[in-house]
Every structure is written in structure tokens, then in C-alpha cells.
Amino acid sequence: MITLLDYGAGNVRSVMNAVEKLGGTLKLVTRPEDILGAEKLIFPGVGNYGNMIQILNRKNYIDPLRQYLESDRPFFGICLGMQALFDDSEEDNSNHESLGFFKGRVARFKTDLAVPHIGWNGINIKQKSPLLEGVDPDARFYFVHSYHLVPEDPSVILTTTTYDYEFVSSVQKGNVMGTQFHPEKSGKVGMKLLENFISKDDLHSTGPADIQGKHLAKRVIACLDVRSNDDGDLVVTKGDQYDVRDKGNVRNLGQPVDLAKRYYEEGADEITFLNITGFRDFPLKDMPMLKVLEETSKNVFVPLTIGGGIRDYTDSNGRVYSALDVASQYFRSGADKISIGSDAVDVAQAYLATGEKTGESAIEQIARVYGNQAVVISIDPKRVWVDSPEDAKGLHLIQSSEPGPENQSHCWYQCTVQGGRQTRDLDAVALAMACEALGAGEILLNCIDRDGTNAGFDLDLINAVRNAVSIPVIASSGAGCEDHFSQVFEKTNAEAALAAGIFHRKEIPIQAVKTHLAQRGIGVRQ
Ligand code: 1PR
């Protein structure tokens, strides 16, 4: 019997699915007494530290949790659920009481690398723990965080991980343990670790260890553009330069749940669903999409991102839904990150016009509750050639590596909304910078000119955006062969590459892309 502490903002569904898949029985904490009565407790946390601690205090969970921890019964904190065990965090400027089971604090990454630290990274093992039994020391786990532990007592360190410098990625004292990475999102290796926690009665470590693990991998992401076809069925579709119709009909490349499962089994590091008509259909009325997430997360144990229609909305009865309401529903259905497209353009334009953050935008609202790392901005730009730099005053002008159709040397990338249907007077670099300032944690950088062309990623665009921000960038649009993936990682600093068409049409398996990258010396999760 596993008791799960759901404080309301974490993605507990993935952990529940993982425990159930492993044959565990689950009970949810609904009152403080449930904590005291637990035999094994898992505390998954995603989001903002201050928000979490406030909720734990408000629900009167702090004292029972302390008593539980002191009794040395098995406890597993995941991400924020582990950070809560420490005295305090730089992410929290309120003075709420934390659990203080471990002495030490939680500090923000200080590095020139992208923050949040997102992706599959290795572990250096410092203690022999039953928790890690049977776990391949070369394995990588999924991380997504901007803050890391700084324990005062080094004897509690179970593993460290290298991201620019070595930081503490898991801790253990007696039967109380926690990981910064997400085992429930780390595929088979993460499931093994959870299985150890669930099945073993005594988890005490048995002595020191010194095993070096791998470094951060570049991610390969499969993207599923989803919409209803003309018969009303939800299908995965794929267009050329965003035109998804063939002879008038929406192209049907498969069922979303089946395809996501296939890509998980083939080794995709993440799966992204884009509800491409979300701008006109309110997603909370579009229950099939929520169902897709629920069903997918039962069998797919890598991160899931969902985009489309995340914005404030008023329905025909005058009921107002905030973007946060929409995002919360997606998180509860199994999403780990949400992606905002059209609304981000409007928000960025308003922010750039006034220079003021209102605190009310979708980006700010969702980041405040779920953390910056959960907010991805999907950019849909189109290239605009200019005859002279004078034609692009105030825009981020880019020197093109190839001349334009009329031998132009410079261009800029114009933002669009509603899946490319409308253009705005804003360039992609400015949009990315504004969204980072507002609290976005990652950029999904599409390119309408390259989408579906198999002509390769737009390296000029990717370099311009990646060099302007300090959050991770996912390169998207145009992948046509294995070489395109090595090019994007060798010639830009993108953290991940996303593709759709070549995977849907079975032109190139994900594994072939990874083998090719590994042969080129680019670290990938195998
Ligand atoms: O604006 O917040 O409602 O979000 C809508 C989302 O739907 C945005 O993320 C937008 O990019 C996406 N979208 C809207 N219309 C389309 C379309 O194709 N007609 N798809 C669309 C965007 C682009 C990529 C694609 C890559 C890789 N799809 O996700 O998967 O370009 O393709 P490739 O490897 O085949 O070249 P909102």
C-alpha cells in the first residue's frame, strides 16, 4: 500500500500510473491523519517551492509529515517533494516553515548553461542503496528544475549529477530519500527505481560507493499535431508549411494514443501533442484531447507536453476560465509541460509596449503555480527577406547563411498566431526574449518555411533565438534525415530537436537518429 501526497499542483497522475503499473495499491492523502497512518509515502512535487510550502502549511500537513519522517518509515520525495525536506529555498521569499528534516538549502543554478536544467542526465553514485539495485550506472534520468540541493551534511548524498558543475541529485537518510530527477518520467530505469522503493522493506544504504555516470544528453522529441478530421475523429495530422489538408481532407497519420505509445517504445525522449485547432475550440470542451493525455500517461513514462488553446476564455454562459484553469486540467490529465502559442504573442506584444509585467498573463500565472520549467512557448515564425537593413528597423535582423530568392543577404522571422493564419509585427527573437522575461522555461522553435519540407532545420533562426535567451530551445521543423539532427546539434546550441513527419511516415526510426548522433559523439539516451 503506497500513500501518495497530492498537494494539488504536482503532476501526481504520472506517479499514480507508474505505481499502478508496478502492481502497487494507492491511497491518496486527503487529511493530515492519512500521513500518520501511512506505511510508505511518496511525495511527488512539480512547480514552485513557495506555493508548495504554503499549501502544506495551510492543509496542516507539516507536523504529521515531520512525525512520519522521524519514525523512519519509507518516504520518497520527488523533485519539489524532496526539496521540501530541507530548511528553505531561494525560490521562496515568504517565511513559511518547511520540513527541515535535512539541514541545508535549495539554491538556484549559477551557470552559463541554460536554466532550467531540462533533459536526461546521468548520476554519480555515492552510496550503495537498495533503491538503486539493478539500475544500470550508465543510465540517464529525466530532470526538469532550476534549483538544486545544497545539503550541510555530505553523508546524506546518495547521488550527484553534473550540469556545468556537480550538484546533489538525490539524498537518503535511513528510509527517507528523495530524487531531484523524476523516476516516473525516466522510462524503464525510473520504473526499476520505483519498483525498488515499492517492493523492498528495508531501504537503508549499506556503505559508500563511487561510480561515475554519464552527462546530459541531447533530446530527440516526437511531435503529434492533433485535430479532428472531417468525420469528427481526433487524428494525428501533418502538413507542409502548416497546410494539413490533402485534396481538401485533413491528412490522417494515425491515432494519438497509439502513436505516442509507439514513440515511447522506440526511444523518444519526450512526446509533444499540439492541439492545432485549439485556438478556435476551447480545450476544456474538447474532452477527447484530455482523454488522449489520460490514456497516454498510463503507458508512456517519458515527459508529455501539450499545447493548443491555452489562454483565458469566456464561454457562452459568461463563465470565465483562466489560462491557469486550462493548464491545470491538462496537468491533472497527465501533462508535464504546457505549451503556449498564439496567446504568448499577444502577451509579449503588450509587455514590450509597456515594459510592465501585469502578473496576470498566462505565462506568469502558470509559472507561478507550476514553475517556469512547466511553461513552454511554441513559436511559429515565417522568414521575411529584406532588401536593405533599413527595411527592418527595430526588428532583430539576421544575416542569412544562404542568399534569398532575389539575392538578399538579410532576413527576419515574423511571428504568427492561429497556426500561421495571421502575422504580427513582432519578430521571433523579440518574442522569445519577452517570454523568458515573463517566466517561460523553454522555447519550442518551429519554422513555417521548413515545416514538412524535409529540407533540414533552419539553423540561422535557431542560432539567433538560442543566442538571445538563457532557457533551453527545442529546434523544430524540417527534419528529413539523420544528418539534419547532427547538424542542428553541431551547429547550434539547441538542447533538443523535434520532428514529426519523418517519424509518422516511418521514414526514419527514432533509434536510427540516436545511433547516428552517438556515432558523431553527441550524447543521447539509449
Ligand atoms: O496557438 O496556443 O492555440 O497553439 C497551437 C499550437 O498548434 C502551436 O504550438 C502551433 O505551433 C501548432 N499548430 C497550429 N497549426 C498548426 C499546423 O500545422 N497547421 N502545428 C500547428 C505546428 C509544427 C510542429 C511540427 C514541426 C515538425 N506544427 O510542431 O510538428 O514543424 O514537423 P516536421 O518534422 O514534419 O517538419 P495555440
PDB file of all heavy atoms in Angstrom, residues 300-334:
ATOM      1  N   VAL A 300       2.961   5.584 -21.010  1.00  0.00           N
ATOM      2  CA  VAL A 300       4.126   6.296 -21.537  1.00  0.00           C
ATOM      3  C   VAL A 300       4.823   7.001 -20.384  1.00  0.00           C
ATOM      4  O   VAL A 300       4.249   7.915 -19.774  1.00  0.00           O
ATOM      5  CB  VAL A 300       3.684   7.310 -22.627  1.00  0.00           C
ATOM      6  CG1 VAL A 300       4.843   8.187 -23.057  1.00  0.00           C
ATOM      7  CG2 VAL A 300       3.115   6.555 -23.826  1.00  0.00           C
ATOM      8  N   PHE A 301       6.051   6.571 -20.076  1.00  0.00           N
ATOM      9  CA  PHE A 301       6.729   7.112 -18.892  1.00  0.00           C
ATOM     10  C   PHE A 301       7.908   7.998 -19.272  1.00  0.00           C
ATOM     11  O   PHE A 301       9.016   7.880 -18.754  1.00  0.00           O
ATOM     12  CB  PHE A 301       7.106   5.961 -17.943  1.00  0.00           C
ATOM     13  CG  PHE A 301       5.876   5.242 -17.455  1.00  0.00           C
ATOM     14  CD1 PHE A 301       5.490   4.035 -18.003  1.00  0.00           C
ATOM     15  CD2 PHE A 301       5.050   5.822 -16.494  1.00  0.00           C
ATOM     16  CE1 PHE A 301       4.327   3.389 -17.588  1.00  0.00           C
ATOM     17  CE2 PHE A 301       3.884   5.198 -16.067  1.00  0.00           C
ATOM     18  CZ  PHE A 301       3.522   3.984 -16.616  1.00  0.00           C
ATOM     19  N   VAL A 302       7.655   8.879 -20.234  1.00  0.00           N
ATOM     20  CA  VAL A 302       8.579   9.990 -20.521  1.00  0.00           C
ATOM     21  C   VAL A 302       7.726  11.262 -20.505  1.00  0.00           C
ATOM     22  O   VAL A 302       6.496  11.182 -20.552  1.00  0.00           O
ATOM     23  CB  VAL A 302       9.300   9.827 -21.881  1.00  0.00           C
ATOM     24  CG1 VAL A 302      10.256   8.634 -21.864  1.00  0.00           C
ATOM     25  CG2 VAL A 302       8.324   9.733 -23.041  1.00  0.00           C
ATOM     26  N   PRO A 303       8.359  12.432 -20.445  1.00  0.00           N
ATOM     27  CA  PRO A 303       7.562  13.664 -20.314  1.00  0.00           C
ATOM     28  C   PRO A 303       6.614  13.919 -21.491  1.00  0.00           C
ATOM     29  O   PRO A 303       6.962  13.663 -22.640  1.00  0.00           O
ATOM     30  CB  PRO A 303       8.633  14.756 -20.237  1.00  0.00           C
ATOM     31  CG  PRO A 303       9.834  14.043 -19.758  1.00  0.00           C
ATOM     32  CD  PRO A 303       9.785  12.681 -20.362  1.00  0.00           C
ATOM     33  N   LEU A 304       5.456  14.441 -21.134  1.00  0.00           N
ATOM     34  CA  LEU A 304       4.444  14.783 -22.135  1.00  0.00           C
ATOM     35  C   LEU A 304       4.199  16.290 -22.087  1.00  0.00           C
ATOM     36  O   LEU A 304       3.963  16.847 -21.019  1.00  0.00           O
ATOM     37  CB  LEU A 304       3.125  14.066 -21.819  1.00  0.00           C
ATOM     38  CG  LEU A 304       3.179  12.540 -21.717  1.00  0.00           C
ATOM     39  CD1 LEU A 304       1.821  11.985 -21.287  1.00  0.00           C
ATOM     40  CD2 LEU A 304       3.598  11.937 -23.060  1.00  0.00           C
ATOM     41  N   THR A 305       4.264  16.907 -23.257  1.00  0.00           N
ATOM     42  CA  THR A 305       3.933  18.332 -23.354  1.00  0.00           C
ATOM     43  C   THR A 305       2.651  18.460 -24.162  1.00  0.00           C
ATOM     44  O   THR A 305       2.460  17.716 -25.120  1.00  0.00           O
ATOM     45  CB  THR A 305       5.060  19.107 -24.080  1.00  0.00           C
ATOM     46  OG1 THR A 305       6.267  18.900 -23.377  1.00  0.00           O
ATOM     47  CG2 THR A 305       4.762  20.604 -24.158  1.00  0.00           C
ATOM     48  N   ILE A 306       1.802  19.400 -23.769  1.00  0.00           N
ATOM     49  CA  ILE A 306       0.567  19.614 -24.532  1.00  0.00           C
ATOM     50  C   ILE A 306       0.404  21.102 -24.832  1.00  0.00           C
ATOM     51  O   ILE A 306       0.599  21.937 -23.971  1.00  0.00           O
ATOM     52  CB  ILE A 306      -0.671  19.061 -23.777  1.00  0.00           C
ATOM     53  CG1 ILE A 306      -1.985  19.445 -24.474  1.00  0.00           C
ATOM     54  CG2 ILE A 306      -0.724  19.537 -22.346  1.00  0.00           C
ATOM     55  CD1 ILE A 306      -2.475  18.419 -25.395  1.00  0.00           C
ATOM     56  N   GLY A 307       0.074  21.398 -26.087  1.00  0.00           N
ATOM     57  CA  GLY A 307      -0.153  22.789 -26.480  1.00  0.00           C
ATOM     58  C   GLY A 307      -1.460  22.915 -27.232  1.00  0.00           C
ATOM     59  O   GLY A 307      -2.032  21.924 -27.685  1.00  0.00           O
ATOM     60  N   GLY A 308      -1.911  24.165 -27.365  1.00  0.00           N
ATOM     61  CA  GLY A 308      -3.128  24.442 -28.119  1.00  0.00           C
ATOM     62  C   GLY A 308      -4.224  24.977 -27.232  1.00  0.00           C
ATOM     63  O   GLY A 308      -4.684  24.297 -26.320  1.00  0.00           O
ATOM     64  N   GLY A 309      -4.607  26.231 -27.461  1.00  0.00           N
ATOM     65  CA  GLY A 309      -5.764  26.809 -26.781  1.00  0.00           C
ATOM     66  C   GLY A 309      -5.536  27.203 -25.338  1.00  0.00           C
ATOM     67  O   GLY A 309      -6.501  27.373 -24.588  1.00  0.00           O
ATOM     68  N   ILE A 310      -4.281  27.365 -24.928  1.00  0.00           N
ATOM     69  CA  ILE A 310      -4.055  27.753 -23.533  1.00  0.00           C
ATOM     70  C   ILE A 310      -4.093  29.284 -23.426  1.00  0.00           C
ATOM     71  O   ILE A 310      -3.182  29.985 -23.862  1.00  0.00           O
ATOM     72  CB  ILE A 310      -2.745  27.132 -23.000  1.00  0.00           C
ATOM     73  CG1 ILE A 310      -2.924  25.614 -23.033  1.00  0.00           C
ATOM     74  CG2 ILE A 310      -2.430  27.631 -21.587  1.00  0.00           C
ATOM     75  CD1 ILE A 310      -1.738  24.817 -22.682  1.00  0.00           C
ATOM     76  N   ARG A 311      -5.197  29.763 -22.924  1.00  0.00           N
ATOM     77  CA  ARG A 311      -5.463  31.214 -22.819  1.00  0.00           C
ATOM     78  C   ARG A 311      -6.711  31.403 -21.957  1.00  0.00           C
ATOM     79  O   ARG A 311      -7.406  30.426 -21.655  1.00  0.00           O
ATOM     80  CB  ARG A 311      -5.727  31.803 -24.217  1.00  0.00           C
ATOM     81  CG  ARG A 311      -6.960  31.206 -24.831  1.00  0.00           C
ATOM     82  CD  ARG A 311      -7.103  31.549 -26.298  1.00  0.00           C
ATOM     83  NE  ARG A 311      -7.859  30.506 -26.974  1.00  0.00           N
ATOM     84  CZ  ARG A 311      -9.175  30.457 -27.078  1.00  0.00           C
ATOM     85  NH1 ARG A 311      -9.921  31.412 -26.561  1.00  0.00           N
ATOM     86  NH2 ARG A 311      -9.796  29.467 -27.681  1.00  0.00           N
ATOM     87  N   ASP A 312      -6.989  32.661 -21.581  1.00  0.00           N
ATOM     88  CA  ASP A 312      -8.235  32.947 -20.851  1.00  0.00           C
ATOM     89  C   ASP A 312      -9.415  32.780 -21.822  1.00  0.00           C
ATOM     90  O   ASP A 312      -9.269  33.013 -23.024  1.00  0.00           O
ATOM     91  CB  ASP A 312      -8.239  34.390 -20.320  1.00  0.00           C
ATOM     92  CG  ASP A 312      -7.094  34.615 -19.331  1.00  0.00           C
ATOM     93  OD1 ASP A 312      -6.597  33.632 -18.763  1.00  0.00           O
ATOM     94  OD2 ASP A 312      -6.704  35.782 -19.150  1.00  0.00           O
ATOM     95  N   TYR A 313     -10.555  32.403 -21.291  1.00  0.00           N
ATOM     96  CA  TYR A 313     -11.680  32.100 -22.179  1.00  0.00           C
ATOM     97  C   TYR A 313     -12.999  32.360 -21.442  1.00  0.00           C
ATOM     98  O   TYR A 313     -13.130  32.036 -20.261  1.00  0.00           O
ATOM     99  CB  TYR A 313     -11.595  30.624 -22.583  1.00  0.00           C
ATOM    100  CG  TYR A 313     -12.662  30.157 -23.528  1.00  0.00           C
ATOM    101  CD1 TYR A 313     -12.517  30.326 -24.896  1.00  0.00           C
ATOM    102  CD2 TYR A 313     -13.811  29.530 -23.058  1.00  0.00           C
ATOM    103  CE1 TYR A 313     -13.482  29.887 -25.780  1.00  0.00           C
ATOM    104  CE2 TYR A 313     -14.794  29.087 -23.936  1.00  0.00           C
ATOM    105  CZ  TYR A 313     -14.614  29.260 -25.299  1.00  0.00           C
ATOM    106  OH  TYR A 313     -15.583  28.822 -26.168  1.00  0.00           O
ATOM    107  N   THR A 314     -13.964  32.943 -22.141  1.00  0.00           N
ATOM    108  CA  THR A 314     -15.303  33.108 -21.561  1.00  0.00           C
ATOM    109  C   THR A 314     -16.274  32.288 -22.392  1.00  0.00           C
ATOM    110  O   THR A 314     -16.334  32.456 -23.612  1.00  0.00           O
ATOM    111  CB  THR A 314     -15.730  34.593 -21.596  1.00  0.00           C
ATOM    112  OG1 THR A 314     -14.695  35.358 -20.989  1.00  0.00           O
ATOM    113  CG2 THR A 314     -17.035  34.815 -20.854  1.00  0.00           C
ATOM    114  N   ASP A 315     -17.025  31.387 -21.761  1.00  0.00           N
ATOM    115  CA  ASP A 315     -17.924  30.545 -22.558  1.00  0.00           C
ATOM    116  C   ASP A 315     -19.261  31.237 -22.820  1.00  0.00           C
ATOM    117  O   ASP A 315     -19.486  32.378 -22.360  1.00  0.00           O
ATOM    118  CB  ASP A 315     -18.083  29.148 -21.934  1.00  0.00           C
ATOM    119  CG  ASP A 315     -18.936  29.153 -20.661  1.00  0.00           C
ATOM    120  OD1 ASP A 315     -19.555  30.188 -20.363  1.00  0.00           O
ATOM    121  OD2 ASP A 315     -18.981  28.110 -19.981  1.00  0.00           O
ATOM    122  N   SER A 316     -20.151  30.554 -23.545  1.00  0.00           N
ATOM    123  CA  SER A 316     -21.392  31.203 -23.987  1.00  0.00           C
ATOM    124  C   SER A 316     -22.302  31.564 -22.805  1.00  0.00           C
ATOM    125  O   SER A 316     -23.196  32.394 -22.927  1.00  0.00           O
ATOM    126  CB  SER A 316     -22.130  30.298 -24.973  1.00  0.00           C
ATOM    127  OG  SER A 316     -22.231  29.014 -24.414  1.00  0.00           O
ATOM    128  N   ASN A 317     -22.070  30.952 -21.635  1.00  0.00           N
ATOM    129  CA  ASN A 317     -22.862  31.315 -20.447  1.00  0.00           C
ATOM    130  C   ASN A 317     -22.202  32.423 -19.642  1.00  0.00           C
ATOM    131  O   ASN A 317     -22.637  32.733 -18.528  1.00  0.00           O
ATOM    132  CB  ASN A 317     -23.037  30.102 -19.535  1.00  0.00           C
ATOM    133  CG  ASN A 317     -23.731  28.977 -20.254  1.00  0.00           C
ATOM    134  OD1 ASN A 317     -24.662  29.235 -21.021  1.00  0.00           O
ATOM    135  ND2 ASN A 317     -23.266  27.759 -20.048  1.00  0.00           N
ATOM    136  N   GLY A 318     -21.116  32.961 -20.177  1.00  0.00           N
ATOM    137  CA  GLY A 318     -20.436  34.056 -19.469  1.00  0.00           C
ATOM    138  C   GLY A 318     -19.477  33.557 -18.398  1.00  0.00           C
ATOM    139  O   GLY A 318     -18.904  34.335 -17.650  1.00  0.00           O
ATOM    140  N   ARG A 319     -19.251  32.239 -18.335  1.00  0.00           N
ATOM    141  CA  ARG A 319     -18.329  31.727 -17.327  1.00  0.00           C
ATOM    142  C   ARG A 319     -16.884  31.949 -17.807  1.00  0.00           C
ATOM    143  O   ARG A 319     -16.539  31.664 -18.945  1.00  0.00           O
ATOM    144  CB  ARG A 319     -18.595  30.231 -17.098  1.00  0.00           C
ATOM    145  CG  ARG A 319     -17.656  29.711 -16.065  1.00  0.00           C
ATOM    146  CD  ARG A 319     -18.045  28.390 -15.476  1.00  0.00           C
ATOM    147  NE  ARG A 319     -16.891  27.968 -14.669  1.00  0.00           N
ATOM    148  CZ  ARG A 319     -16.655  26.744 -14.296  1.00  0.00           C
ATOM    149  NH1 ARG A 319     -17.482  25.800 -14.609  1.00  0.00           N
ATOM    150  NH2 ARG A 319     -15.592  26.458 -13.587  1.00  0.00           N
ATOM    151  N   VAL A 320     -16.099  32.489 -16.888  1.00  0.00           N
ATOM    152  CA  VAL A 320     -14.723  32.823 -17.260  1.00  0.00           C
ATOM    153  C   VAL A 320     -13.795  31.694 -16.792  1.00  0.00           C
ATOM    154  O   VAL A 320     -13.870  31.235 -15.658  1.00  0.00           O
ATOM    155  CB  VAL A 320     -14.302  34.153 -16.585  1.00  0.00           C
ATOM    156  CG1 VAL A 320     -12.849  34.493 -16.918  1.00  0.00           C
ATOM    157  CG2 VAL A 320     -15.233  35.282 -17.023  1.00  0.00           C
ATOM    158  N   TYR A 321     -12.925  31.270 -17.703  1.00  0.00           N
ATOM    159  CA  TYR A 321     -11.878  30.298 -17.367  1.00  0.00           C
ATOM    160  C   TYR A 321     -10.547  31.002 -17.584  1.00  0.00           C
ATOM    161  O   TYR A 321     -10.356  31.670 -18.612  1.00  0.00           O
ATOM    162  CB  TYR A 321     -11.924  29.085 -18.291  1.00  0.00           C
ATOM    163  CG  TYR A 321     -13.207  28.287 -18.211  1.00  0.00           C
ATOM    164  CD1 TYR A 321     -14.322  28.668 -18.956  1.00  0.00           C
ATOM    165  CD2 TYR A 321     -13.289  27.161 -17.406  1.00  0.00           C
ATOM    166  CE1 TYR A 321     -15.499  27.941 -18.891  1.00  0.00           C
ATOM    167  CE2 TYR A 321     -14.461  26.421 -17.336  1.00  0.00           C
ATOM    168  CZ  TYR A 321     -15.563  26.827 -18.079  1.00  0.00           C
ATOM    169  OH  TYR A 321     -16.727  26.098 -18.025  1.00  0.00           O
ATOM    170  N   SER A 322      -9.646  30.873 -16.631  1.00  0.00           N
ATOM    171  CA  SER A 322      -8.333  31.467 -16.849  1.00  0.00           C
ATOM    172  C   SER A 322      -7.448  30.457 -17.580  1.00  0.00           C
ATOM    173  O   SER A 322      -7.715  29.243 -17.582  1.00  0.00           O
ATOM    174  CB  SER A 322      -7.700  31.831 -15.509  1.00  0.00           C
ATOM    175  OG  SER A 322      -7.385  30.652 -14.804  1.00  0.00           O
ATOM    176  N   ALA A 323      -6.364  30.981 -18.155  1.00  0.00           N
ATOM    177  CA  ALA A 323      -5.393  30.088 -18.800  1.00  0.00           C
ATOM    178  C   ALA A 323      -4.877  29.078 -17.776  1.00  0.00           C
ATOM    179  O   ALA A 323      -4.600  27.927 -18.108  1.00  0.00           O
ATOM    180  CB  ALA A 323      -4.244  30.914 -19.366  1.00  0.00           C
ATOM    181  N   LEU A 324      -4.786  29.524 -16.526  1.00  0.00           N
ATOM    182  CA  LEU A 324      -4.326  28.622 -15.464  1.00  0.00           C
ATOM    183  C   LEU A 324      -5.308  27.464 -15.262  1.00  0.00           C
ATOM    184  O   LEU A 324      -4.895  26.331 -15.032  1.00  0.00           O
ATOM    185  CB  LEU A 324      -4.141  29.418 -14.163  1.00  0.00           C
ATOM    186  CG  LEU A 324      -3.705  28.638 -12.933  1.00  0.00           C
ATOM    187  CD1 LEU A 324      -2.343  27.977 -13.137  1.00  0.00           C
ATOM    188  CD2 LEU A 324      -3.657  29.551 -11.705  1.00  0.00           C
ATOM    189  N   ASP A 325      -6.636  27.760 -15.376  1.00  0.00           N
ATOM    190  CA  ASP A 325      -7.631  26.681 -15.258  1.00  0.00           C
ATOM    191  C   ASP A 325      -7.399  25.635 -16.347  1.00  0.00           C
ATOM    192  O   ASP A 325      -7.456  24.430 -16.098  1.00  0.00           O
ATOM    193  CB  ASP A 325      -9.072  27.214 -15.419  1.00  0.00           C
ATOM    194  CG  ASP A 325      -9.488  28.137 -14.282  1.00  0.00           C
ATOM    195  OD1 ASP A 325      -8.966  27.960 -13.166  1.00  0.00           O
ATOM    196  OD2 ASP A 325     -10.338  29.037 -14.523  1.00  0.00           O
ATOM    197  N   VAL A 326      -7.171  26.137 -17.566  1.00  0.00           N
ATOM    198  CA  VAL A 326      -6.983  25.221 -18.695  1.00  0.00           C
ATOM    199  C   VAL A 326      -5.732  24.380 -18.457  1.00  0.00           C
ATOM    200  O   VAL A 326      -5.746  23.145 -18.565  1.00  0.00           O
ATOM    201  CB  VAL A 326      -6.843  26.007 -20.023  1.00  0.00           C
ATOM    202  CG1 VAL A 326      -6.688  25.042 -21.191  1.00  0.00           C
ATOM    203  CG2 VAL A 326      -8.036  26.930 -20.246  1.00  0.00           C
ATOM    204  N   ALA A 327      -4.635  25.065 -18.080  1.00  0.00           N
ATOM    205  CA  ALA A 327      -3.365  24.356 -17.879  1.00  0.00           C
ATOM    206  C   ALA A 327      -3.519  23.329 -16.755  1.00  0.00           C
ATOM    207  O   ALA A 327      -3.044  22.195 -16.867  1.00  0.00           O
ATOM    208  CB  ALA A 327      -2.259  25.353 -17.563  1.00  0.00           C
ATOM    209  N   SER A 328      -4.201  23.716 -15.668  1.00  0.00           N
ATOM    210  CA  SER A 328      -4.350  22.804 -14.525  1.00  0.00           C
ATOM    211  C   SER A 328      -5.040  21.525 -14.948  1.00  0.00           C
ATOM    212  O   SER A 328      -4.671  20.429 -14.537  1.00  0.00           O
ATOM    213  CB  SER A 328      -5.164  23.461 -13.408  1.00  0.00           C
ATOM    214  OG  SER A 328      -4.493  24.600 -12.948  1.00  0.00           O
ATOM    215  N   GLN A 329      -6.058  21.684 -15.799  1.00  0.00           N
ATOM    216  CA  GLN A 329      -6.783  20.498 -16.277  1.00  0.00           C
ATOM    217  C   GLN A 329      -5.855  19.593 -17.093  1.00  0.00           C
ATOM    218  O   GLN A 329      -5.887  18.373 -16.969  1.00  0.00           O
ATOM    219  CB  GLN A 329      -7.969  20.976 -17.123  1.00  0.00           C
ATOM    220  CG  GLN A 329      -8.956  19.908 -17.478  1.00  0.00           C
ATOM    221  CD  GLN A 329      -9.638  19.297 -16.252  1.00  0.00           C
ATOM    222  OE1 GLN A 329     -10.044  20.020 -15.344  1.00  0.00           O
ATOM    223  NE2 GLN A 329      -9.733  17.984 -16.218  1.00  0.00           N
ATOM    224  N   TYR A 330      -5.008  20.207 -17.901  1.00  0.00           N
ATOM    225  CA  TYR A 330      -4.035  19.423 -18.678  1.00  0.00           C
ATOM    226  C   TYR A 330      -3.049  18.714 -17.748  1.00  0.00           C
ATOM    227  O   TYR A 330      -2.727  17.549 -17.937  1.00  0.00           O
ATOM    228  CB  TYR A 330      -3.254  20.318 -19.641  1.00  0.00           C
ATOM    229  CG  TYR A 330      -3.954  20.608 -20.956  1.00  0.00           C
ATOM    230  CD1 TYR A 330      -3.844  21.860 -21.563  1.00  0.00           C
ATOM    231  CD2 TYR A 330      -4.688  19.628 -21.615  1.00  0.00           C
ATOM    232  CE1 TYR A 330      -4.453  22.131 -22.783  1.00  0.00           C
ATOM    233  CE2 TYR A 330      -5.309  19.892 -22.826  1.00  0.00           C
ATOM    234  CZ  TYR A 330      -5.187  21.141 -23.412  1.00  0.00           C
ATOM    235  OH  TYR A 330      -5.783  21.392 -24.611  1.00  0.00           O
ATOM    236  N   PHE A 331      -2.556  19.427 -16.724  1.00  0.00           N
ATOM    237  CA  PHE A 331      -1.608  18.799 -15.801  1.00  0.00           C
ATOM    238  C   PHE A 331      -2.278  17.625 -15.087  1.00  0.00           C
ATOM    239  O   PHE A 331      -1.688  16.566 -14.933  1.00  0.00           O
ATOM    240  CB  PHE A 331      -1.060  19.808 -14.783  1.00  0.00           C
ATOM    241  CG  PHE A 331      -0.085  20.798 -15.383  1.00  0.00           C
ATOM    242  CD1 PHE A 331      -0.307  22.170 -15.306  1.00  0.00           C
ATOM    243  CD2 PHE A 331       1.074  20.367 -16.004  1.00  0.00           C
ATOM    244  CE1 PHE A 331       0.580  23.077 -15.852  1.00  0.00           C
ATOM    245  CE2 PHE A 331       1.985  21.266 -16.553  1.00  0.00           C
ATOM    246  CZ  PHE A 331       1.734  22.625 -16.480  1.00  0.00           C
ATOM    247  N   ARG A 332      -3.513  17.849 -14.650  1.00  0.00           N
ATOM    248  CA  ARG A 332      -4.206  16.770 -13.933  1.00  0.00           C
ATOM    249  C   ARG A 332      -4.438  15.556 -14.837  1.00  0.00           C
ATOM    250  O   ARG A 332      -4.535  14.441 -14.376  1.00  0.00           O
ATOM    251  CB  ARG A 332      -5.559  17.266 -13.392  1.00  0.00           C
ATOM    252  CG  ARG A 332      -5.439  17.935 -12.030  1.00  0.00           C
ATOM    253  CD  ARG A 332      -6.796  18.072 -11.362  1.00  0.00           C
ATOM    254  NE  ARG A 332      -7.631  19.062 -12.016  1.00  0.00           N
ATOM    255  CZ  ARG A 332      -7.579  20.366 -11.777  1.00  0.00           C
ATOM    256  NH1 ARG A 332      -6.742  20.839 -10.879  1.00  0.00           N
ATOM    257  NH2 ARG A 332      -8.353  21.198 -12.410  1.00  0.00           N
ATOM    258  N   SER A 333      -4.517  15.813 -16.146  1.00  0.00           N
ATOM    259  CA  SER A 333      -4.757  14.698 -17.071  1.00  0.00           C
ATOM    260  C   SER A 333      -3.465  13.980 -17.455  1.00  0.00           C
ATOM    261  O   SER A 333      -3.506  13.010 -18.215  1.00  0.00           O
ATOM    262  CB  SER A 333      -5.443  15.214 -18.331  1.00  0.00           C
ATOM    263  OG  SER A 333      -6.624  15.878 -17.989  1.00  0.00           O
ATOM    264  N   GLY A 334      -2.323  14.478 -16.994  1.00  0.00           N
ATOM    265  CA  GLY A 334      -1.078  13.742 -17.262  1.00  0.00           C
ATOM    266  C   GLY A 334       0.013  14.533 -17.952  1.00  0.00           C
ATOM    267  O   GLY A 334       1.085  13.991 -18.229  1.00  0.00           O
TER     268      GLY A 334
END
